[in-house]
Every structure is written in structure tokens, then in C-alpha cells.
Amino acid sequence: MADEALFLLLHNEMVSGVYKSAEQGEVENGRCVTKLESMGFRVGQGLIERFTKDTARFKDELDIMKFICKDFWTTVFKKQIDNLRTNHQGIYVLQDNKFRLLIQLSAGKQYLEHASKYLAFTCGLIRGGLSNLGIKSIVTAEVSSMPACKFQVMIQKL
Amino acid sequence: MSRPAHKRPEYHKINKDLFVLTYGALVAQLCKDYEKDEDVNKYLDKMGYNIGTRLVEDFLARSCVRRCHSYSEIINIIAQVAFKMYLGITPSVTCHNSSRNEFSLILHKNPLAEFVEELPAGRSALCYCNLLCGIIRGALEMVHLAANVTFLQDRLKGDSVTEIGITFLKKLDEKKYRRKK
């Protein structure tokens, strides 16, 4: 085990470091999100390998999503996803009512505009984890009121 | 005024792999962004410095460490309390000189480099764990202890151990402390 303060501070520093070196503009912003998301992707791949090396094979897509919501989320963020919804056509919405990387920010609307910076890494985590379980996906996230957060997973047919 | 009750140590723990793999992804990204090893090292040190200035507040709030009266006492606290708290390891401590302001932390295990077998090709000057130097320097500076922190040995570069050298730059003002006692 390591201490969570180190990871939280490292994540914050990665976010501010990536955005500081960028200029204003839509293109640069997209590049920052991509950079953070791709780092998260790589970490998600590595983590899922270590978490699942002893587990039985998942029986279907929903089984995999349940694993992400329960075991994966608990290991990474120390709590389960609060709500999982799906339209049974490849779209899943994972809602975390107290997302760990947003708790440090004010619960009001003061920092709402910056909240999305702190979600890109975790989108990559989910996409990377799913990738190594055989699922190709697009993951986006949104915050309507802090610190609740929704991750939308759109599974792509191969 | 009573000291607030400490939460159980496990409360703060996360999966170590998350931190180690995140750090690895960061270093990989920096190697893509910068051509020179020197620039990557500098960036990791600066990032570590920013983390250290904040981490020391967390450390002082959670440990029962009081004011230290000698450099060797400070180094022992770094090795036995801080490294244990945040990385789960306890480095050994050695002192280098008679004026007792140059020390080494010897890491027999290095959790940050757990998944790294060797440095990538063309990156022989990369200090993979340079974040640690920045963290230590930033944390010490917040308690008014200017220090130089560098890697003297690195297992990733073929050495048998990983050694962090810490040189304190100012003498502790003993009179000032004596007066406040």
C-alpha cells in the first residue's frame, strides 16, 4: 500500500503542469485533455492486468461493467460507483456522487468550470481498463454539481 | 487543547500500483514531450518541489513530529517516519562529513521503480525517480531548511543500491531555539 496523499498531489500536479504549458484555445485544450487521458489509459491497462490476473473470465459486457463499478472503483477510489445505468445498446452511465478527485475542490459552483480537467485522467483509466478486457470504448465525463460526476461509456462494435 | 484523534493509518492507504503506474505514465509522457534527459529531470524536480511544499503540511498534521534540533534528527524522521508513511519503506541513513550536514538515504527497495527493468534506450542520463528529490527539497524548504537533494547512486543505472544525497545549506541557529524553549 502507498499513501493516497501522494497520488492525489501527483494527479493535481499533472493536471496543472499539463495546462500551464499550454496556451488558450480550443486546440490546445483538446491536446491537454488527450495527454491526461492517454496517461490514464496506460495506467488503466496496467491496473486491470494486475487486478484480474486471478479472477474468472467475465461472462458478458454487463459483467465487465459491474466489475469496473465495484472492484475496480473500490481499489482506485475506495468506494463503489453509486449508480450504473444502461440503455442495453452499448451506452453505460456511471455516476459517482462523491468523486474522490473532486472532493478537494469547493462543493459550490466556484470551480465548476475547471472540474473537467480533473476527470480526463479517470476517463482514460476506464477506457484503458476496458481495452484490456477486450472492449473498445469512448469515455466522456461531466459534472453538473460538485462533487458528483457522471462517466459515460460508449462501447464501440468492432 | 487536545490533539485531534488520528484516523486509522489504513484510512489513507491506496493501492500502491495506482501511484507507481501513474508515475510511470507521467515519466513516459515527459520523455515524449522533451528530447533532453536534463529537461525531463528538471521538470520532475520542479513537479516534486510543488508536491513537497504541500505534502509537508499533510505530514505535520498527521504525525506527532515536533521541532527538530539537529540535522541528523531531521534525517532520521524523514527516513523512519515520512518514507514509511508515504511509501511503506524505511531507508538507511549515513552521515558523510564531520560538520554533519551531508547525509545519504539508502533505498534498498525503490517502490517507484518497481515495474521498471531498465531505462529506455537513449535515456541514460534520466533520473527516473527525480520527483523524490523535489519532494524532499520542497518539504524541507517549507520548514525553513534549505537543502540540496540529488541522486548519488541509482539502481536503474547499474548501481547496487539507490542513494539520495541531502546536503543542508545553512547551519541551524542554535541560540534562536534555545531562547524559545
Side-chain angles (χ1 to χ4, degrees), chain A residues 47-58:
Chain A
L47 284 178
I48 214 80
E49 277 176 25
R50 299 183 64 77
F51 292 171
T52 59
K53 64 181 181 178
D54 293 322
T55 60
R57 182 176 289 263
F58 299 105

Side-chain angles (χ1 to χ4, degrees), chain A residues 2-150:
Chain A
D3 199 271
E4 73 169 347
L6 266 181
F7 170 73
L8 296 178
L9 287 172
L10 178 64
H11 178 265
N12 288 349
E13 207 55 39
M14 276 165 37
V15 171
S16 69
V18 163
Y19 274 91
K20 191 187 300 175
S21 58
E23 297 141 30
Q24 296 301 309
E26 213 157 280
V27 172
E28 278 300 325
N29 242 264
R31 203 172 300 168
C32 294
V33 173
T34 299
K35 212 179 264 190
L36 288 167
E37 203 266 356
S38 69
M39 283 194 265
F41 180 88
R42 183 69 195 86
V43 175
Q45 285 183 313
L47 284 178
I48 214 80
E49 277 176 25
R50 299 183 64 77
F51 292 171
T52 59
K53 64 181 181 178
D54 293 322
T55 60
R57 182 176 289 263
F58 299 105
K59 61 179 192 288
D60 58 17
E61 196 176 89
L62 184 58
D63 203 23
I64 291 176
M65 292 310 297
K66 284 179 181 174
F67 175 82
I68 295 287
C69 291
K70 293 179 181 170
D71 301 90
F72 188 77
W73 216 255
T74 299
T75 306
V76 177
F77 298 118
K78 303 190 344 178
K79 69 186 279 286
Q80 291 184 7
I81 281 279
D82 295 295
N83 193 276
L84 169 64
R85 295 179 190 273
T86 179
N87 65 357
H88 297 290
Q89 289 166 35
I91 297 185
Y92 297 81
V93 177
L94 290 66
Q95 167 139 358
D96 190 332
N97 292 330
K98 271 176 120 190
F99 185 54
R100 180 153 219 94
L101 302 181
L102 296 178
I103 289 176
Q104 310 147 86
L105 305 179
S106 164
K109 297 198 177 89
Q110 188 175 5
Y111 298 106
L112 200 57
E113 59 191 283
H114 296 286
S116 61
K117 298 172 181 174
Y118 294 87
L119 310 177
F121 181 84
T122 305
C123 289
L125 269 185
I126 299 170
R127 191 169 67 87
L130 291 174
S131 166
N132 269 22
L133 295 176
I135 292 184
K136 191 178 178 187
S137 63
I138 296 175
V139 183
T140 57
E142 67 172 12
V143 180
S144 45
S145 69
M146 303 275 265
C149 175
K150 284 178 187 166

Side-chain angles (χ1 to χ4, degrees), chain B residues 92-160:
Chain B
S92 341
V93 173
T94 60
C95 180
H96 279 301
N97 60 354
S98 54
S99 60
R100 297 193 69 80
N101 73 321
E102 288 178 28
F103 298 86
S104 279
L105 300 171
I106 298 179
L107 283 66
H108 306 281
K109 272 199 305 176
N110 183 3
L112 271 188
E114 183 178 340
F115 298 121
V116 187
E117 282 184 29
E118 59 185 24
L119 295 175
R123 292 285 181 180
S124 54
L126 173 69
C127 258
Y128 186 83
C129 296
N130 217 35
L131 190 88
L132 288 183
C133 295
I135 290 178
I136 296 173
R137 187 168 59 86
L140 288 176
E141 189 166 309
M142 290 298 286
V143 292
H144 304 287
L145 292 162
N148 270 340
V149 189
T150 56
F151 273 95
L152 304 178
Q153 291 189 81
D154 193 345
R155 190 174 256 141
L156 291 177
K157 294 179 173 169
D159 301 313
S160 55

Side-chain angles (χ1 to χ4, degrees), chain A residues 1-7 9-10 13-14 17 20 35 39 43 46-47 50-51 75-76 78 121, chain B residues 11-15 17-19 21-22 25-26 29 33 43 47 50-51 55 58 62 85-87 115:
Chain A
M1 301 293 277
D3 199 271
E4 73 169 347
L6 266 181
F7 170 73
L9 287 172
L10 178 64
E13 207 55 39
M14 276 165 37
K20 191 187 300 175
K35 212 179 264 190
M39 283 194 265
V43 175
L47 284 178
R50 299 183 64 77
F51 292 171
T75 306
V76 177
K78 303 190 344 178
F121 181 84
Chain B
Y11 179 83
H12 295 279
K13 294 307 174 188
I14 54 159
N15 186 279
D17 296 340
L18 172 63
F19 175 68
L21 289 171
T22 301
L26 169 68
Q29 182 64 47
D33 288 349
Y43 191 93
M47 191 180 249
N50 291 337
I51 291 174
L55 192 70
D58 183 76
R62 286 168 48 193
M85 181 183 285
Y86 291 110
L87 288 175
F115 298 121

Side-chain angles (χ1 to χ4, degrees), chain B residues 5 18 30 40 42 50 54-55 63 65 70 82 86 90 99 107 112 120 147 150-152 162 167 174:
Chain B
L18 172 63
L30 292 177
V40 177
K42 208 175 291 181
N50 291 337
R54 294 172 173 84
L55 192 70
S63 67
V65 171
S70 70
Y86 291 110
T90 306
S99 60
L107 283 66
L112 271 188
T150 56
F151 273 95
L152 304 178
T162 299
T167 303
E174 291 174 3

Side-chain angles (χ1 to χ4, degrees), chain B residues 40-100:
Chain B
V40 177
N41 293 343
K42 208 175 291 181
Y43 191 93
L44 286 172
D45 184 76
K46 182 171 175 295
M47 191 180 249
Y49 177 87
N50 291 337
I51 291 174
T53 56
R54 294 172 173 84
L55 192 70
V56 67
E57 296 186 23
D58 183 76
F59 176 71
L60 293 176
R62 286 168 48 193
S63 67
C64 293
V65 171
R66 300 299 178 101
R67 182 190 301 279
C68 299
H69 300 300
S70 70
Y71 288 141
S72 58
E73 192 181 343
I74 292 161
I75 291 296
N76 280 322
I77 282 170
I78 291 175
Q80 287 168 32
V81 186
F83 265 85
K84 182 70 179 177
M85 181 183 285
Y86 291 110
L87 288 175
I89 58 173
T90 306
S92 341
V93 173
T94 60
C95 180
H96 279 301
N97 60 354
S98 54
S99 60
R100 297 193 69 80

